[in-house]
mmCIF file of all heavy atoms in Angstrom:
data_model
loop_
_atom_site.group_PDB
_atom_site.id
_atom_site.type_symbol
_atom_site.label_atom_id
_atom_site.label_comp_id
_atom_site.label_asym_id
_atom_site.label_seq_id
_atom_site.Cartn_x
_atom_site.Cartn_y
_atom_site.Cartn_z
ATOM 1 N N MET Q 1 42.035 41.639 10.933
ATOM 2 C CA MET Q 1 42.339 40.355 11.574
ATOM 3 C C MET Q 1 42.562 39.265 10.529
ATOM 4 O O MET Q 1 41.856 39.190 9.536
ATOM 5 C CB MET Q 1 41.185 39.935 12.490
ATOM 6 C CG MET Q 1 41.228 40.696 13.828
ATOM 7 S SD MET Q 1 39.784 40.388 14.812
ATOM 8 C CE MET Q 1 40.075 38.678 15.262
ATOM 9 N N THR Q 2 43.513 38.435 10.788
ATOM 10 C CA THR Q 2 43.743 37.325 9.865
ATOM 11 C C THR Q 2 42.843 36.159 10.229
ATOM 12 O O THR Q 2 42.654 35.856 11.411
ATOM 13 C CB THR Q 2 45.210 36.867 9.917
ATOM 14 O OG1 THR Q 2 45.603 36.785 11.274
ATOM 15 C CG2 THR Q 2 46.090 37.849 9.191
ATOM 16 N N LYS Q 3 42.335 35.551 9.212
ATOM 17 C CA LYS Q 3 41.471 34.389 9.453
ATOM 18 C C LYS Q 3 42.317 33.133 9.561
ATOM 19 O O LYS Q 3 43.010 32.748 8.644
ATOM 20 C CB LYS Q 3 40.471 34.246 8.292
ATOM 21 C CG LYS Q 3 39.187 34.974 8.577
ATOM 22 C CD LYS Q 3 38.087 34.456 7.677
ATOM 23 C CE LYS Q 3 36.748 35.037 8.079
ATOM 24 N NZ LYS Q 3 35.659 34.523 7.245
ATOM 25 N N ARG Q 4 42.263 32.531 10.708
ATOM 26 C CA ARG Q 4 43.039 31.310 10.890
ATOM 27 C C ARG Q 4 42.135 30.113 10.666
ATOM 28 O O ARG Q 4 40.964 30.135 11.042
ATOM 29 C CB ARG Q 4 43.602 31.257 12.308
ATOM 30 C CG ARG Q 4 44.666 32.314 12.508
ATOM 31 C CD ARG Q 4 45.805 31.737 13.302
ATOM 32 N NE ARG Q 4 46.338 32.708 14.246
ATOM 33 C CZ ARG Q 4 46.787 32.371 15.461
ATOM 34 N NH1 ARG Q 4 46.671 31.155 15.890
ATOM 35 N NH2 ARG Q 4 47.325 33.266 16.251
ATOM 36 N N PRO Q 5 42.710 29.068 10.113
ATOM 37 C CA PRO Q 5 41.915 27.857 9.876
ATOM 38 C C PRO Q 5 41.727 27.048 11.154
ATOM 39 O O PRO Q 5 42.378 27.299 12.173
ATOM 40 C CB PRO Q 5 42.745 27.087 8.852
ATOM 41 C CG PRO Q 5 44.150 27.517 9.124
ATOM 42 C CD PRO Q 5 44.077 28.943 9.602
ATOM 43 N N CYS Q 6 40.863 26.101 11.065
ATOM 44 C CA CYS Q 6 40.662 25.174 12.164
ATOM 45 C C CYS Q 6 41.977 24.475 12.486
ATOM 46 O O CYS Q 6 42.636 23.941 11.606
ATOM 47 C CB CYS Q 6 39.602 24.146 11.753
ATOM 48 S SG CYS Q 6 39.482 22.748 12.862
ATOM 49 N N PRO Q 7 42.417 24.496 13.729
ATOM 50 C CA PRO Q 7 43.691 23.885 14.095
ATOM 51 C C PRO Q 7 43.691 22.371 13.976
ATOM 52 O O PRO Q 7 44.747 21.751 13.965
ATOM 53 C CB PRO Q 7 43.888 24.321 15.549
ATOM 54 C CG PRO Q 7 42.550 24.668 16.051
ATOM 55 C CD PRO Q 7 41.751 25.124 14.867
ATOM 56 N N MET Q 8 42.521 21.796 13.900
ATOM 57 C CA MET Q 8 42.456 20.344 13.823
ATOM 58 C C MET Q 8 42.565 19.844 12.389
ATOM 59 O O MET Q 8 43.295 18.916 12.107
ATOM 60 C CB MET Q 8 41.153 19.837 14.435
ATOM 61 C CG MET Q 8 41.061 20.100 15.921
ATOM 62 S SD MET Q 8 42.405 19.338 16.858
ATOM 63 C CE MET Q 8 41.915 17.629 16.799
ATOM 64 N N CYS Q 9 41.818 20.456 11.489
ATOM 65 C CA CYS Q 9 41.760 19.925 10.124
ATOM 66 C C CYS Q 9 42.104 20.968 9.082
ATOM 67 O O CYS Q 9 42.091 20.666 7.898
ATOM 68 C CB CYS Q 9 40.383 19.335 9.851
ATOM 69 S SG CYS Q 9 39.106 20.596 9.801
ATOM 70 N N LYS Q 10 42.397 22.199 9.531
ATOM 71 C CA LYS Q 10 42.836 23.268 8.626
ATOM 72 C C LYS Q 10 41.730 23.763 7.706
ATOM 73 O O LYS Q 10 41.988 24.453 6.748
ATOM 74 C CB LYS Q 10 44.029 22.818 7.772
ATOM 75 C CG LYS Q 10 45.137 22.190 8.583
ATOM 76 C CD LYS Q 10 45.675 23.131 9.639
ATOM 77 C CE LYS Q 10 46.827 22.443 10.386
ATOM 78 N NZ LYS Q 10 47.170 23.162 11.621
ATOM 79 N N LYS Q 11 40.514 23.403 7.981
ATOM 80 C CA LYS Q 11 39.409 23.951 7.204
ATOM 81 C C LYS Q 11 39.044 25.309 7.782
ATOM 82 O O LYS Q 11 39.408 25.612 8.926
ATOM 83 C CB LYS Q 11 38.205 23.017 7.268
ATOM 84 C CG LYS Q 11 38.374 21.773 6.422
ATOM 85 C CD LYS Q 11 37.141 20.908 6.561
ATOM 86 C CE LYS Q 11 37.340 19.570 5.851
ATOM 87 N NZ LYS Q 11 36.255 18.630 6.144
ATOM 88 N N PRO Q 12 38.316 26.113 7.010
ATOM 89 C CA PRO Q 12 37.871 27.405 7.544
ATOM 90 C C PRO Q 12 37.063 27.212 8.815
ATOM 91 O O PRO Q 12 36.193 26.342 8.894
ATOM 92 C CB PRO Q 12 37.005 27.964 6.414
ATOM 93 C CG PRO Q 12 37.490 27.287 5.186
ATOM 94 C CD PRO Q 12 37.905 25.892 5.633
ATOM 95 N N ARG Q 13 37.360 28.001 9.817
ATOM 96 C CA ARG Q 13 36.678 27.828 11.092
ATOM 97 C C ARG Q 13 35.253 28.362 11.035
ATOM 98 O O ARG Q 13 34.927 29.230 10.240
ATOM 99 C CB ARG Q 13 37.443 28.538 12.192
ATOM 100 C CG ARG Q 13 37.520 30.032 11.976
ATOM 101 C CD ARG Q 13 38.031 30.740 13.194
ATOM 102 N NE ARG Q 13 39.427 30.391 13.502
ATOM 103 C CZ ARG Q 13 40.110 30.953 14.489
ATOM 104 N NH1 ARG Q 13 39.564 31.885 15.237
ATOM 105 N NH2 ARG Q 13 41.341 30.606 14.722
ATOM 106 N N SER Q 14 34.460 27.846 11.905
ATOM 107 C CA SER Q 14 33.082 28.307 12.001
ATOM 108 C C SER Q 14 32.962 29.263 13.171
ATOM 109 O O SER Q 14 33.602 29.077 14.202
ATOM 110 C CB SER Q 14 32.163 27.108 12.198
ATOM 111 O OG SER Q 14 30.981 27.519 12.844
ATOM 112 N N GLU Q 15 32.150 30.268 12.994
ATOM 113 C CA GLU Q 15 32.016 31.247 14.067
ATOM 114 C C GLU Q 15 31.421 30.589 15.308
ATOM 115 O O GLU Q 15 31.752 30.927 16.437
ATOM 116 C CB GLU Q 15 31.113 32.375 13.598
ATOM 117 C CG GLU Q 15 31.340 33.656 14.382
ATOM 118 C CD GLU Q 15 30.621 34.815 13.738
ATOM 119 O OE1 GLU Q 15 30.870 35.095 12.561
ATOM 120 O OE2 GLU Q 15 29.790 35.401 14.430
ATOM 121 N N GLN Q 16 30.575 29.636 15.080
ATOM 122 C CA GLN Q 16 29.902 28.989 16.204
ATOM 123 C C GLN Q 16 30.859 28.143 17.024
ATOM 124 O O GLN Q 16 30.744 28.051 18.247
ATOM 125 C CB GLN Q 16 28.765 28.119 15.656
ATOM 126 C CG GLN Q 16 27.934 27.490 16.765
ATOM 127 C CD GLN Q 16 26.817 26.641 16.200
ATOM 128 O OE1 GLN Q 16 26.646 26.575 14.985
ATOM 129 N NE2 GLN Q 16 26.068 25.988 17.056
ATOM 130 N N PHE Q 17 31.828 27.545 16.336
ATOM 131 C CA PHE Q 17 32.725 26.617 17.035
ATOM 132 C C PHE Q 17 34.154 27.142 17.075
ATOM 133 O O PHE Q 17 35.080 26.393 17.306
ATOM 134 C CB PHE Q 17 32.687 25.254 16.358
ATOM 135 C CG PHE Q 17 31.326 24.629 16.343
ATOM 136 C CD1 PHE Q 17 30.609 24.533 15.163
ATOM 137 C CD2 PHE Q 17 30.768 24.152 17.511
ATOM 138 C CE1 PHE Q 17 29.345 23.968 15.154
ATOM 139 C CE2 PHE Q 17 29.510 23.580 17.506
ATOM 140 C CZ PHE Q 17 28.794 23.496 16.321
ATOM 141 N N THR Q 18 34.291 28.433 16.815
ATOM 142 C CA THR Q 18 35.635 29.003 16.803
ATOM 143 C C THR Q 18 36.431 28.582 18.035
ATOM 144 O O THR Q 18 35.861 28.486 19.131
ATOM 145 C CB THR Q 18 35.530 30.535 16.728
ATOM 146 O OG1 THR Q 18 36.800 31.048 16.374
ATOM 147 C CG2 THR Q 18 35.087 31.148 18.031
ATOM 148 N N PRO Q 19 37.710 28.274 17.915
ATOM 149 C CA PRO Q 19 38.502 28.385 16.685
ATOM 150 C C PRO Q 19 38.420 27.157 15.791
ATOM 151 O O PRO Q 19 39.284 26.970 14.950
ATOM 152 C CB PRO Q 19 39.914 28.544 17.242
ATOM 153 C CG PRO Q 19 39.910 27.696 18.468
ATOM 154 C CD PRO Q 19 38.504 27.820 19.041
ATOM 155 N N PHE Q 20 37.441 26.344 15.985
ATOM 156 C CA PHE Q 20 37.347 25.131 15.178
ATOM 157 C C PHE Q 20 36.298 25.296 14.092
ATOM 158 O O PHE Q 20 35.564 26.285 14.070
ATOM 159 C CB PHE Q 20 37.021 23.929 16.054
ATOM 160 C CG PHE Q 20 37.993 23.783 17.173
ATOM 161 C CD1 PHE Q 20 37.659 24.183 18.456
ATOM 162 C CD2 PHE Q 20 39.258 23.275 16.949
ATOM 163 C CE1 PHE Q 20 38.570 24.077 19.493
ATOM 164 C CE2 PHE Q 20 40.175 23.166 17.979
ATOM 165 C CZ PHE Q 20 39.826 23.562 19.251
ATOM 166 N N CYS Q 21 36.219 24.294 13.227
ATOM 167 C CA CYS Q 21 35.296 24.400 12.103
ATOM 168 C C CYS Q 21 33.989 23.710 12.438
ATOM 169 O O CYS Q 21 32.987 23.923 11.776
ATOM 170 C CB CYS Q 21 35.925 23.775 10.861
ATOM 171 S SG CYS Q 21 36.038 21.984 10.952
ATOM 172 N N SER Q 22 34.008 22.870 13.460
ATOM 173 C CA SER Q 22 32.813 22.096 13.754
ATOM 174 C C SER Q 22 32.879 21.553 15.167
ATOM 175 O O SER Q 22 33.937 21.559 15.807
ATOM 176 C CB SER Q 22 32.701 20.915 12.774
ATOM 177 O OG SER Q 22 33.801 20.059 12.960
ATOM 178 N N ALA Q 23 31.770 21.058 15.645
ATOM 179 C CA ALA Q 23 31.744 20.472 16.981
ATOM 180 C C ALA Q 23 32.652 19.257 17.039
ATOM 181 O O ALA Q 23 33.234 18.938 18.077
ATOM 182 C CB ALA Q 23 30.321 20.073 17.339
ATOM 183 N N ARG Q 24 32.776 18.585 15.924
ATOM 184 C CA ARG Q 24 33.593 17.380 15.897
ATOM 185 C C ARG Q 24 35.060 17.713 16.168
ATOM 186 O O ARG Q 24 35.720 17.067 16.985
ATOM 187 C CB ARG Q 24 33.448 16.712 14.528
ATOM 188 C CG ARG Q 24 34.147 15.390 14.451
ATOM 189 C CD ARG Q 24 33.760 14.652 13.182
ATOM 190 N NE ARG Q 24 34.598 13.491 12.997
ATOM 191 C CZ ARG Q 24 35.741 13.516 12.314
ATOM 192 N NH1 ARG Q 24 36.160 14.630 11.781
ATOM 193 N NH2 ARG Q 24 36.468 12.430 12.196
ATOM 194 N N CYS Q 25 35.554 18.738 15.492
ATOM 195 C CA CYS Q 25 36.951 19.115 15.700
ATOM 196 C C CYS Q 25 37.146 19.658 17.107
ATOM 197 O O CYS Q 25 38.177 19.414 17.743
ATOM 198 C CB CYS Q 25 37.372 20.150 14.657
ATOM 199 S SG CYS Q 25 37.712 19.416 13.060
ATOM 200 N N ARG Q 26 36.177 20.363 17.592
ATOM 201 C CA ARG Q 26 36.292 20.887 18.955
ATOM 202 C C ARG Q 26 36.367 19.729 19.948
ATOM 203 O O ARG Q 26 37.178 19.716 20.872
ATOM 204 C CB ARG Q 26 35.094 21.771 19.266
ATOM 205 C CG ARG Q 26 35.174 22.439 20.623
ATOM 206 C CD ARG Q 26 33.856 23.027 21.004
ATOM 207 N NE ARG Q 26 32.820 22.012 20.989
ATOM 208 C CZ ARG Q 26 31.520 22.255 21.116
ATOM 209 N NH1 ARG Q 26 31.108 23.498 21.214
ATOM 210 N NH2 ARG Q 26 30.654 21.288 21.103
ATOM 211 N N ASP Q 27 35.537 18.744 19.735
ATOM 212 C CA ASP Q 27 35.540 17.589 20.633
ATOM 213 C C ASP Q 27 36.850 16.809 20.509
ATOM 214 O O ASP Q 27 37.380 16.311 21.491
ATOM 215 C CB ASP Q 27 34.369 16.673 20.297
ATOM 216 C CG ASP Q 27 33.055 17.281 20.747
ATOM 217 O OD1 ASP Q 27 33.090 18.314 21.440
ATOM 218 O OD2 ASP Q 27 32.007 16.733 20.394
ATOM 219 N N LEU Q 28 37.342 16.719 19.291
ATOM 220 C CA LEU Q 28 38.606 16.027 19.095
ATOM 221 C C LEU Q 28 39.713 16.718 19.869
ATOM 222 O O LEU Q 28 40.550 16.076 20.493
ATOM 223 C CB LEU Q 28 38.954 16.000 17.600
ATOM 224 C CG LEU Q 28 38.273 14.914 16.784
ATOM 225 C CD1 LEU Q 28 38.593 15.098 15.302
ATOM 226 C CD2 LEU Q 28 38.737 13.535 17.239
ATOM 227 N N ASP Q 29 39.700 18.042 19.824
ATOM 228 C CA ASP Q 29 40.728 18.790 20.537
ATOM 229 C C ASP Q 29 40.588 18.587 22.037
ATOM 230 O O ASP Q 29 41.566 18.350 22.745
ATOM 231 C CB ASP Q 29 40.613 20.265 20.180
ATOM 232 C CG ASP Q 29 41.765 21.051 20.774
ATOM 233 O OD1 ASP Q 29 42.898 20.827 20.321
ATOM 234 O OD2 ASP Q 29 41.533 21.861 21.674
ATOM 235 N N LEU Q 30 39.391 18.656 22.517
ATOM 236 C CA LEU Q 30 39.153 18.435 23.946
ATOM 237 C C LEU Q 30 39.602 17.044 24.347
ATOM 238 O O LEU Q 30 40.236 16.853 25.379
ATOM 239 C CB LEU Q 30 37.663 18.600 24.246
ATOM 240 C CG LEU Q 30 37.186 20.044 24.421
ATOM 241 C CD1 LEU Q 30 35.685 20.060 24.644
ATOM 242 C CD2 LEU Q 30 37.892 20.702 25.585
ATOM 243 N N ALA Q 31 39.295 16.083 23.496
ATOM 244 C CA ALA Q 31 39.655 14.705 23.798
ATOM 245 C C ALA Q 31 41.161 14.549 23.869
ATOM 246 O O ALA Q 31 41.678 13.837 24.725
ATOM 247 C CB ALA Q 31 39.084 13.775 22.733
ATOM 248 N N SER Q 32 41.877 15.221 22.972
ATOM 249 C CA SER Q 32 43.329 15.095 22.979
ATOM 250 C C SER Q 32 43.908 15.744 24.237
ATOM 251 O O SER Q 32 44.865 15.255 24.819
ATOM 252 C CB SER Q 32 43.921 15.711 21.722
ATOM 253 O OG SER Q 32 43.780 17.103 21.734
ATOM 254 N N TRP Q 33 43.315 16.848 24.640
ATOM 255 C CA TRP Q 33 43.758 17.480 25.887
ATOM 256 C C TRP Q 33 43.538 16.537 27.061
ATOM 257 O O TRP Q 33 44.400 16.308 27.888
ATOM 258 C CB TRP Q 33 42.959 18.755 26.142
ATOM 259 C CG TRP Q 33 43.628 19.972 25.609
ATOM 260 C CD1 TRP Q 33 43.413 20.556 24.393
ATOM 261 C CD2 TRP Q 33 44.622 20.764 26.254
ATOM 262 N NE1 TRP Q 33 44.216 21.659 24.272
ATOM 263 C CE2 TRP Q 33 44.963 21.815 25.390
ATOM 264 C CE3 TRP Q 33 45.262 20.673 27.496
ATOM 265 C CZ2 TRP Q 33 45.912 22.766 25.721
ATOM 266 C CZ3 TRP Q 33 46.207 21.636 27.828
ATOM 267 C CH2 TRP Q 33 46.524 22.662 26.940
ATOM 268 N N PHE Q 34 42.375 15.986 27.094
ATOM 269 C CA PHE Q 34 42.013 15.077 28.166
ATOM 270 C C PHE Q 34 42.972 13.900 28.188
ATOM 271 O O PHE Q 34 43.439 13.466 29.234
ATOM 272 C CB PHE Q 34 40.582 14.605 27.932
ATOM 273 C CG PHE Q 34 39.899 14.184 29.191
ATOM 274 C CD1 PHE Q 34 39.661 15.108 30.198
ATOM 275 C CD2 PHE Q 34 39.486 12.894 29.367
ATOM 276 C CE1 PHE Q 34 39.024 14.725 31.367
ATOM 277 C CE2 PHE Q 34 38.844 12.501 30.527
ATOM 278 C CZ PHE Q 34 38.618 13.420 31.516
ATOM 279 N N ASP Q 35 43.282 13.409 27.008
ATOM 280 C CA ASP Q 35 44.179 12.280 26.867
ATOM 281 C C ASP Q 35 45.545 12.609 27.444
ATOM 282 O O ASP Q 35 46.151 11.799 28.138
ATOM 283 C CB ASP Q 35 44.304 11.948 25.383
ATOM 284 C CG ASP Q 35 44.066 10.474 25.140
ATOM 285 O OD1 ASP Q 35 43.240 9.896 25.867
ATOM 286 O OD2 ASP Q 35 44.687 9.912 24.237
ATOM 287 N N GLU Q 36 46.021 13.801 27.155
ATOM 288 C CA GLU Q 36 47.361 14.163 27.598
ATOM 289 C C GLU Q 36 47.430 14.278 29.111
ATOM 290 O O GLU Q 36 48.346 13.785 29.744
ATOM 291 C CB GLU Q 36 47.774 15.481 26.946
ATOM 292 C CG GLU Q 36 48.378 15.280 25.576
ATOM 293 C CD GLU Q 36 48.858 16.596 24.987
ATOM 294 O OE1 GLU Q 36 49.354 17.435 25.742
ATOM 295 O OE2 GLU Q 36 48.715 16.768 23.770
ATOM 296 N N SER Q 37 46.451 14.940 29.684
ATOM 297 C CA SER Q 37 46.479 15.091 31.129
ATOM 298 C C SER Q 37 46.286 13.733 31.798
ATOM 299 O O SER Q 37 46.783 13.472 32.882
ATOM 300 C CB SER Q 37 45.394 16.067 31.579
ATOM 301 O OG SER Q 37 44.151 15.696 31.055
ATOM 302 N N TYR Q 38 45.572 12.883 31.100
ATOM 303 C CA TYR Q 38 45.370 11.531 31.603
ATOM 304 C C TYR Q 38 46.688 10.757 31.602
ATOM 305 O O TYR Q 38 46.976 9.959 32.478
ATOM 306 C CB TYR Q 38 44.384 10.798 30.677
ATOM 307 C CG TYR Q 38 43.413 9.909 31.412
ATOM 308 C CD1 TYR Q 38 42.062 9.940 31.115
ATOM 309 C CD2 TYR Q 38 43.851 9.041 32.398
ATOM 310 C CE1 TYR Q 38 41.165 9.147 31.779
ATOM 311 C CE2 TYR Q 38 42.960 8.232 33.070
ATOM 312 C CZ TYR Q 38 41.618 8.288 32.750
ATOM 313 O OH TYR Q 38 40.733 7.496 33.406
ATOM 314 N N ALA Q 39 47.532 11.051 30.585
ATOM 315 C CA ALA Q 39 48.768 10.294 30.410
ATOM 316 C C ALA Q 39 49.880 10.809 31.305
ATOM 317 O O ALA Q 39 50.961 10.271 31.313
ATOM 318 C CB ALA Q 39 49.201 10.346 28.949
ATOM 319 N N VAL Q 40 49.605 11.887 32.058
ATOM 320 C CA VAL Q 40 50.637 12.421 32.937
ATOM 321 C C VAL Q 40 50.139 12.395 34.379
ATOM 322 O O VAL Q 40 49.850 13.408 34.972
ATOM 323 C CB VAL Q 40 51.007 13.858 32.537
ATOM 324 C CG1 VAL Q 40 52.225 14.330 33.339
ATOM 325 C CG2 VAL Q 40 51.302 13.948 31.044
ATOM 326 N N PRO Q 41 49.987 11.233 34.929
ATOM 327 C CA PRO Q 41 49.425 11.106 36.276
ATOM 328 C C PRO Q 41 50.471 11.337 37.356
ATOM 329 O O PRO Q 41 50.142 11.430 38.526
ATOM 330 C CB PRO Q 41 48.935 9.665 36.311
ATOM 331 C CG PRO Q 41 49.815 8.944 35.360
ATOM 332 C CD PRO Q 41 50.310 9.939 34.340
ATOM 333 N N GLY Q 42 51.736 11.394 36.992
ATOM 334 C CA GLY Q 42 52.778 11.587 37.989
ATOM 335 C C GLY Q 42 53.480 10.288 38.304
ATOM 336 O O GLY Q 42 53.721 9.472 37.417
ATOM 337 N N PRO Q 43 53.812 10.049 39.551
ATOM 338 C CA PRO Q 43 54.555 8.850 39.930
ATOM 339 C C PRO Q 43 53.703 7.592 39.743
ATOM 340 O O PRO Q 43 52.478 7.661 39.755
ATOM 341 C CB PRO Q 43 54.866 9.073 41.417
ATOM 342 C CG PRO Q 43 53.846 10.054 41.890
ATOM 343 C CD PRO Q 43 53.519 10.910 40.702
ATOM 344 N N PRO Q 44 54.338 6.468 39.596
ATOM 345 C CA PRO Q 44 53.616 5.196 39.472
ATOM 346 C C PRO Q 44 52.766 4.931 40.706
ATOM 347 O O PRO Q 44 52.997 5.493 41.779
ATOM 348 C CB PRO Q 44 54.723 4.149 39.352
ATOM 349 C CG PRO Q 44 55.958 4.909 38.949
ATOM 350 C CD PRO Q 44 55.778 6.307 39.446
ATOM 351 N N ALA Q 45 51.815 4.070 40.543
ATOM 352 C CA ALA Q 45 50.865 3.848 41.627
ATOM 353 C C ALA Q 45 51.465 3.009 42.756
ATOM 354 O O ALA Q 45 51.088 3.142 43.901
ATOM 355 C CB ALA Q 45 49.620 3.177 41.071
ATOM 356 N N LEU Q 46 52.407 2.156 42.388
ATOM 357 C CA LEU Q 46 52.931 1.250 43.398
ATOM 358 C C LEU Q 46 54.449 1.332 43.526
ATOM 359 O O LEU Q 46 55.176 0.423 43.166
ATOM 360 C CB LEU Q 46 52.544 -0.196 43.047
ATOM 361 C CG LEU Q 46 51.045 -0.459 42.938
ATOM 362 C CD1 LEU Q 46 50.809 -1.822 42.286
ATOM 363 C CD2 LEU Q 46 50.383 -0.416 44.302
ATOM 364 N N PRO Q 47 54.964 2.449 44.048
ATOM 365 C CA PRO Q 47 56.430 2.574 44.214
ATOM 366 C C PRO Q 47 56.935 1.748 45.395
ATOM 367 O O PRO Q 47 58.059 1.304 45.428
ATOM 368 C CB PRO Q 47 56.631 4.069 44.455
ATOM 369 C CG PRO Q 47 55.313 4.591 44.934
ATOM 370 C CD PRO Q 47 54.254 3.602 44.510
ATOM 371 N N GLU Q 48 56.096 1.528 46.364
ATOM 372 C CA GLU Q 48 56.533 0.820 47.573
ATOM 373 C C GLU Q 48 56.815 -0.647 47.289
ATOM 374 O O GLU Q 48 57.757 -1.231 47.817
ATOM 375 C CB GLU Q 48 55.474 0.933 48.648
ATOM 376 C CG GLU Q 48 55.458 2.317 49.273
ATOM 377 C CD GLU Q 48 54.448 2.387 50.398
ATOM 378 O OE1 GLU Q 48 54.270 1.367 51.085
ATOM 379 O OE2 GLU Q 48 53.815 3.434 50.563
ATOM 380 N N ASP Q 49 56.000 -1.230 46.454
ATOM 381 C CA ASP Q 49 56.192 -2.627 46.124
ATOM 382 C C ASP Q 49 57.563 -2.890 45.527
ATOM 383 O O ASP Q 49 58.204 -3.889 45.819
ATOM 384 C CB ASP Q 49 55.114 -3.078 45.126
ATOM 385 C CG ASP Q 49 53.907 -3.597 45.884
ATOM 386 O OD1 ASP Q 49 53.955 -3.593 47.128
ATOM 387 O OD2 ASP Q 49 52.936 -3.989 45.241
ATOM 388 N N GLN Q 50 58.003 -1.916 44.694
ATOM 389 C CA GLN Q 50 59.274 -2.109 44.005
ATOM 390 C C GLN Q 50 60.442 -2.028 44.982
ATOM 391 O O GLN Q 50 61.354 -2.839 44.957
ATOM 392 C CB GLN Q 50 59.443 -1.045 42.917
ATOM 393 C CG GLN Q 50 58.520 -1.356 41.722
ATOM 394 C CD GLN Q 50 58.678 -0.317 40.631
ATOM 395 O OE1 GLN Q 50 59.289 0.727 40.861
ATOM 396 N NE2 GLN Q 50 58.131 -0.587 39.475
ATOM 397 N N SER Q 51 60.414 -1.055 45.884
ATOM 398 C CA SER Q 51 61.553 -0.902 46.806
ATOM 399 C C SER Q 51 61.564 -2.031 47.829
ATOM 400 O O SER Q 51 62.597 -2.459 48.313
ATOM 401 C CB SER Q 51 61.473 0.457 47.499
ATOM 402 O OG SER Q 51 60.179 0.639 48.019
ATOM 403 N N ARG Q 52 60.371 -2.526 48.132
ATOM 404 C CA ARG Q 52 60.312 -3.592 49.122
ATOM 405 C C ARG Q 52 60.890 -4.897 48.567
ATOM 406 O O ARG Q 52 61.413 -5.729 49.292
ATOM 407 C CB ARG Q 52 58.842 -3.813 49.506
ATOM 408 C CG ARG Q 52 58.734 -4.612 50.806
ATOM 409 C CD ARG Q 52 57.305 -4.964 51.122
ATOM 410 N NE ARG Q 52 56.534 -3.768 51.480
ATOM 411 C CZ ARG Q 52 55.234 -3.775 51.653
ATOM 412 N NH1 ARG Q 52 54.548 -4.891 51.514
ATOM 413 N NH2 ARG Q 52 54.600 -2.695 51.971
ATOM 414 N N ASP Q 53 60.775 -5.015 47.235
ATOM 415 C CA ASP Q 53 61.270 -6.220 46.586
ATOM 416 C C ASP Q 53 62.792 -6.233 46.509
ATOM 417 O O ASP Q 53 63.396 -7.230 46.188
ATOM 418 C CB ASP Q 53 60.679 -6.320 45.170
ATOM 419 C CG ASP Q 53 60.795 -7.730 44.627
ATOM 420 O OD1 ASP Q 53 60.554 -8.682 45.392
ATOM 421 O OD2 ASP Q 53 61.108 -7.875 43.439
ATOM 422 N N ASN Q 54 63.418 -5.169 46.900
ATOM 423 C CA ASN Q 54 64.875 -5.052 46.781
ATOM 424 C C ASN Q 54 65.639 -5.918 47.734
ATOM 425 O O ASN Q 54 65.807 -5.940 48.783
ATOM 426 C CB ASN Q 54 65.261 -3.577 47.013
ATOM 427 C CG ASN Q 54 66.652 -3.304 46.433
ATOM 428 O OD1 ASN Q 54 67.210 -4.153 45.763
ATOM 429 N ND2 ASN Q 54 67.160 -2.118 46.702
HETATM 430 ZN ZN1 ZN F 101 38.085 21.237 11.712
#
């Protein structure tokens, strides 16, 4: 098996936090995932207001 580095900081990964090197990098990755799903909520919250203003 090839040893892959931590995807966050490219340091050698830790077995405990694989595939990351530390809890910090793991949390960073989780946070970025959370951020992305947060940033894709779908349609705007108030579409009706805009069409009504037409
Ligand atoms: Zn790392």
Side-chain angles (χ1 to χ4, degrees):
M1 281 172 70
T2 45
K3 268 199 172 182
R4 291 221 218 144
C6 168
M8 294 301 286
C9 68
K10 311 301 182 194
K11 285 179 187 171
R13 63 169 65 176
S14 155
E15 202 170 303
Q16 185 180 357
F17 300 109
T18 195
F20 306 102
C21 71
S22 63
R24 186 169 170 269
C25 282
R26 184 193 57 189
D27 287 352
L28 278 174
D29 187 67
L30 278 177
S32 69
W33 267 95
F34 205 64
D35 230 34
E36 274 183 36
S37 52
Y38 219 133
V40 188
L46 301 167
E48 285 183 34
D49 270 0
Q50 286 180 348
S51 49
R52 196 186 291 172
D53 198 42
N54 200 8

